[in-house]
Amino acid sequence: MSVEKNPTVKAPDLSDSRSEDGGPVPASPRRSSLSSSHRPSTTEKPTIKRSGTSKSKKSGGTPEQKPLWARLEAKLPTWCLKIKDRRQQKVLFRCWFASWVCVVLILPNRNLKVMGNAGFFAGIASLMMPANMPIQTFLMAMTILVFGCCLGWAWGCAAMAAAWRARDKALYQRTLQQLAGQYGSNLQSAIQLRIFHGDFLDTRSTVVFGVFLGFASFILGYVRTLNPKLALPTIFATIFVDVICSYGPLIPTPQYTILNTFVISTSYYVAVGIFCIALIFPQTLNHQWLGDANAILTTVKELVEAQDQVLELESDEMNRDEGSLYSTLRAKAGGLVASLEALSGKTKMLKMEFSYGQLGADDLEDLEPPLTLLALRTRGLMSFITLLIQHVETRGKDKTPAPPGTPAEALDSKVIPLHARKIAVGDTFRLMHVRDIDSRWEDEHQLRVEELMPILESATANLRKATLDGMKTAISALTFINTQRWKRHLIGGRRVLEQMKEEERDVGNALQVLEDALKDYNDNARMTLLEPYHEFLASPFEVDQHGRPPFSLRPLFVCFVFQSNLIWTAEALLSLLRILNAAQKKRTQAQLWFPKGMDRLFQSWFSEGDVSPLDEGLPPVVPFQTDKVEDDAFENKYKKDPDSLPPANVFQKIGDSIHRVHGWLAEPRTIFAFKVLIVTIALWLPQVLKRSAWFTYSQRGLWGLIMGQLTLAVYMSDQLSAVVGRLVGTVAGGLVGAAWWYVGNGRGQGNPYGAAASSALFLLPIVFYRLFGPSVMEGIMSGVTCVASLLLMS
């Protein structure tokens, strides 16, 4: 069969095209059928110019010099700028004060004797579980953490009791007699010294401790991977088991209260944390949720505002360089997913508290899905600038467009050689050749993406403005609800009620304006982008042997990406405004909300995982409906594969069990648990061998065991990141701890007042990095090493 190489394609009907005023688009004076050369005449094509004032650098003027603080902000990472948020400043002060109190408590000798040798554990707990949460969340977290501590203690006591039964009592008596003969009346002090030299080690007792330690490390390591929320309780349980199983083989008699000092120190921090959360800038989970939602909406608003700059980008500004608009927007959009995950975790606990305000837990739960959808749709706007930059980089032309009216023959000199061109993943020679042809056509007809962006900017101006105004109105309404909840009963009650009604009217007006703008755009303005292509699409044209039209549509489809994402963002905002306006009409005044749904208290912590924020607010996945009758008929007609049937006899069941065990052993979680087991035993053995017992004890080998367990991760990338983070945090913490000591004590032997004053200064950046830094473990390790250094030097 012969294939026609140049078939004629009927032009689509563009009779519904509308101009900006709603009327039909006038026909172009040059509308005609394309010739066989595939090059329509464009001599009368007017040049499309960007509206608005030109930039200073284009007009030759001197660019405006930014203030020093603005230039510094542009170079700082985004997490450093959180200090500007007043709400974050309050959280920082509260957490810093709690950590500082825990450090001050170990400075007086009398109090340090009560807390014991592990008094620094209170400071460690304040950094691992900072007081940056509402009171009921903190109480629940501390309850589960203490439960982990008690679980580890109980397992350690069981190991100690079993080891005592297995210990050789005759060997113990012979060792006592040898020490009595050597030291005489100083037997008790000799026993305290020789214990850590391994003189009382017993093989059978040591083996029992090793079995208990290995089993506990495997189970706790596996549980840690099942649910990230249980990471801290399992870590504390692991530490308690490590302490008992490391010192237990060295001690000849059972010492079940060996962990008293750890429990007392942890209890100190629990009391300090409750005091600080209750009295220093207290806040409910309802208040914190609304604050986080407002922060997400503010980021979304900034991304939408930045689209004005995106649509005004020049060719030489379309890049991914550091400090460019693309990198700035990418950093802002990247933090949205983490913020949504944190918000989703708080939503499940909203019904567990007493709160006072206009909106209750049910109202906030209704707001979460549209808010999540809005954030994700707005994040999708990043796809436009990404495709825009990729289009400019791969279109085969340099970044300086040819002047209008340049003949096609003269455009060949503008093509970048293939060896010097930036090649995207998947590019081939043919694909780059096609892009060269499209680039020549775009230059010849003045239809580059730079010429379409002013049309796109003008067509979407009304919708972008309505979307931005709607976001500002939502932020204002949520801010009012979150900050004016008590003023009705304290001062200006009538004025607050009037302002509440005014906020409700504003949300309703913004909702109506956005609906009208979206309808007008869908009916009229969206067709404006097709006007430059009207003469090419309205007439019949021919395609080549590969089905390609004689003109380039790539810039048009790049602009379509912006249109689609803007429409989806506006629709998501409409859903949010509708739910918010309905809640405002339903809740006409602030009221006291009582806790309910207490069954969620432990479900929210012991559930295996949260719903992905990428799935929240999206249509539910409908399972494929099958016809049961047809399935039965098919099964009756055809026999199943014997390997797909369930095991029927004993041999098949044994084989199935072996297969399941093999699959479980090959899981990443199981492999991680085995890695924890191997590392634990490897680092525990030097502590229970006579030749290395004293060296390991004097050099804090227990700390090495704990760090080895906590450094492990399921995947190699996380493993390397954990190793680097702990090394950096340990070195930085040691340096800061040394500076901390010498600044507070000088050349003296120890000054508690100076140490307390210097700790207030040095703890502030550590706590700030722990709360807002990109790596939580680096902040924890820095603080832990600082506190440990201070205690050791004291």
Side-chain angles (χ1 to χ4, degrees), residues 525-584:
R526 69 183 178 89
M527 302 299 294
T528 307
L529 196 60
L530 294 176
E531 291 181 6
Y533 288 86
H534 187 275
E535 61 177 303
F536 308 115
L537 297 176
S539 303
F541 56 85
E542 297 178 349
V543 297
D544 60 13
Q545 59 181 346
H546 301 288
R548 296 182 61 252
F551 43 83
S552 173
L553 294 176
R554 192 182 182 198
L556 183 63
F557 280 91
V558 170
C559 295
F560 282 166
V561 171
F562 183 86
Q563 282 187 324
S564 302
N565 283 281
L566 182 61
I567 292 174
W568 293 335
T569 301
E571 291 174 348
L573 180 60
L574 279 176
S575 177
L576 176 65
L577 291 176
R578 289 192 187 102
I579 296 178
L580 177 59
N581 192 240
Q584 288 176 315

Side-chain angles (χ1 to χ4, degrees), residues 579-617:
I579 296 178
L580 177 59
N581 192 240
Q584 288 176 315
K585 293 178 180 179
K586 184 179 180 181
R587 316 294 187 189
T588 57
Q589 61 182 2
Q591 65 184 68
L592 180 63
W593 301 95
F594 291 90
K596 56 182 179 179
M598 296 300 292
D599 55 325
R600 298 187 182 184
L601 181 62
F602 291 98
Q603 290 180 4
S604 61
W605 275 81
F606 290 100
S607 58
E608 186 167 340
D610 294 333
V611 177
S612 171
L614 299 177
D615 297 332
E616 300 244 357

Side-chain angles (χ1 to χ4, degrees), residues 129-186:
M129 188 76 77
N132 61 341
M133 55 191 77
I135 182 66
Q136 78 283 351
T137 308
F138 183 79
L139 287 175
M140 182 175 62
M142 289 296 105
T143 300
I144 296 178
L145 186 144
V146 173
F147 173 78
C149 296
C150 295
L151 180 63
W153 194 358
W155 186 256
C157 291
M160 186 169 288
W164 170 250
R165 289 180 175 272
R167 180 178 287 273
D168 187 355
K169 308 300 189 299
L171 177 62
Y172 170 56
Q173 294 297 331
R174 289 197 299 270
T175 306
L176 284 179
Q177 294 175 3
Q178 292 176 2
L179 293 178
Q182 293 178 5
Y183 295 94
S185 60
N186 297 326

Side-chain angles (χ1 to χ4, degrees), residues 309-591:
Q309 304 177 43
V310 172
L311 294 174
E312 295 177 357
L313 284 176
E314 301 293 342
S315 299
D316 56 350
E317 296 174 332
M318 299 177 186
N319 57 71
R320 297 181 175 87
D321 299 339
E322 185 177 357
S324 62
L325 180 61
Y326 172 83
S327 61
T328 303
L329 295 182
R330 183 179 177 85
K332 289 184 178 180
L336 279 178
V337 174
S339 301
L340 291 174
E341 289 178 351
L343 190 71
S344 177
K346 295 174 183 177
T347 306
K348 297 182 178 181
M349 297 183 287
L350 284 172
K351 295 183 178 181
M352 305 173 192
E353 66 169 356
F354 290 92
S355 64
Y356 184 85
Q358 183 179 359
L359 301 182
D362 293 331
D363 303 316
L364 300 187
E365 285 184 350
D366 293 339
L367 285 175
E368 185 195 5
L371 176 63
T372 302
L373 185 61
L374 173 62
L376 297 178
R377 295 308 190 197
T378 307
R379 193 171 184 266
L381 288 172
M382 281 295 299
S383 59
F384 170 69
I385 188 174
T386 303
L387 288 176
L388 184 64
I389 295 174
Q390 182 182 4
H391 171 69
V392 172
E393 291 177 343
T394 61
R395 64 183 173 183
K397 306 295 292 181
D398 63 4
K399 293 186 178 181
T400 304
T406 303
E409 294 76 9
L411 294 175
D412 292 340
S413 60
K414 306 294 289 183
V415 178
I416 301 176
L418 293 181
H419 68 274
R421 186 179 306 171
K422 185 170 184 178
I423 301 177
V425 177
D427 279 357
T428 61
F429 179 83
R430 176 174 180 78
L431 184 58
M432 290 186 286
H433 177 68
V434 170
R435 287 174 181 163
D436 288 344
I437 297 176
D438 289 343
S439 297
R440 293 190 187 96
W441 187 91
E442 294 167 13
D443 283 341
E444 181 181 356
H445 297 85
Q446 295 294 298
L447 285 177
R448 295 180 295 262
V449 71
E450 288 87 347
E451 279 78 29
L452 295 182
M453 286 175 64
I455 303 176
L456 180 63
E457 180 182 6
S458 175
T460 60
N462 187 31
L463 181 57
R464 285 186 286 113
K465 183 178 183 303
T467 303
L468 191 59
D469 292 342
M471 291 179 179
K472 292 179 180 178
T473 303
I475 293 174
S476 175
L478 292 180
T479 301
F480 172 80
I481 293 172
N482 201 28
T483 57
Q484 306 293 324
R485 59 181 71 209
W486 290 103
K487 290 190 176 181
R488 178 175 177 270
H489 295 281
L490 297 179
I491 186 172
R494 180 175 300 177
R495 180 179 58 83
V496 172
L497 290 178
E498 293 176 355
Q499 189 175 354
M500 185 181 298
K501 296 179 180 179
E502 183 180 352
E503 291 290 342
E504 177 187 337
R505 289 193 298 268
D506 290 344
V507 173
N509 295 335
L511 176 61
Q512 185 62 42
V513 169
L514 183 57
E515 287 179 344
D516 295 341
L518 184 59
K519 185 177 185 301
D520 178 70
Y521 183 80
N522 287 328
D523 294 343
N524 304 314
R526 69 183 178 89
M527 302 299 294
T528 307
L529 196 60
L530 294 176
E531 291 181 6
Y533 288 86
H534 187 275
E535 61 177 303
F536 308 115
L537 297 176
S539 303
F541 56 85
E542 297 178 349
V543 297
D544 60 13
Q545 59 181 346
H546 301 288
R548 296 182 61 252
F551 43 83
S552 173
L553 294 176
R554 192 182 182 198
L556 183 63
F557 280 91
V558 170
C559 295
F560 282 166
V561 171
F562 183 86
Q563 282 187 324
S564 302
N565 283 281
L566 182 61
I567 292 174
W568 293 335
T569 301
E571 291 174 348
L573 180 60
L574 279 176
S575 177
L576 176 65
L577 291 176
R578 289 192 187 102
I579 296 178
L580 177 59
N581 192 240
Q584 288 176 315
K585 293 178 180 179
K586 184 179 180 181
R587 316 294 187 189
T588 57
Q589 61 182 2
Q591 65 184 68

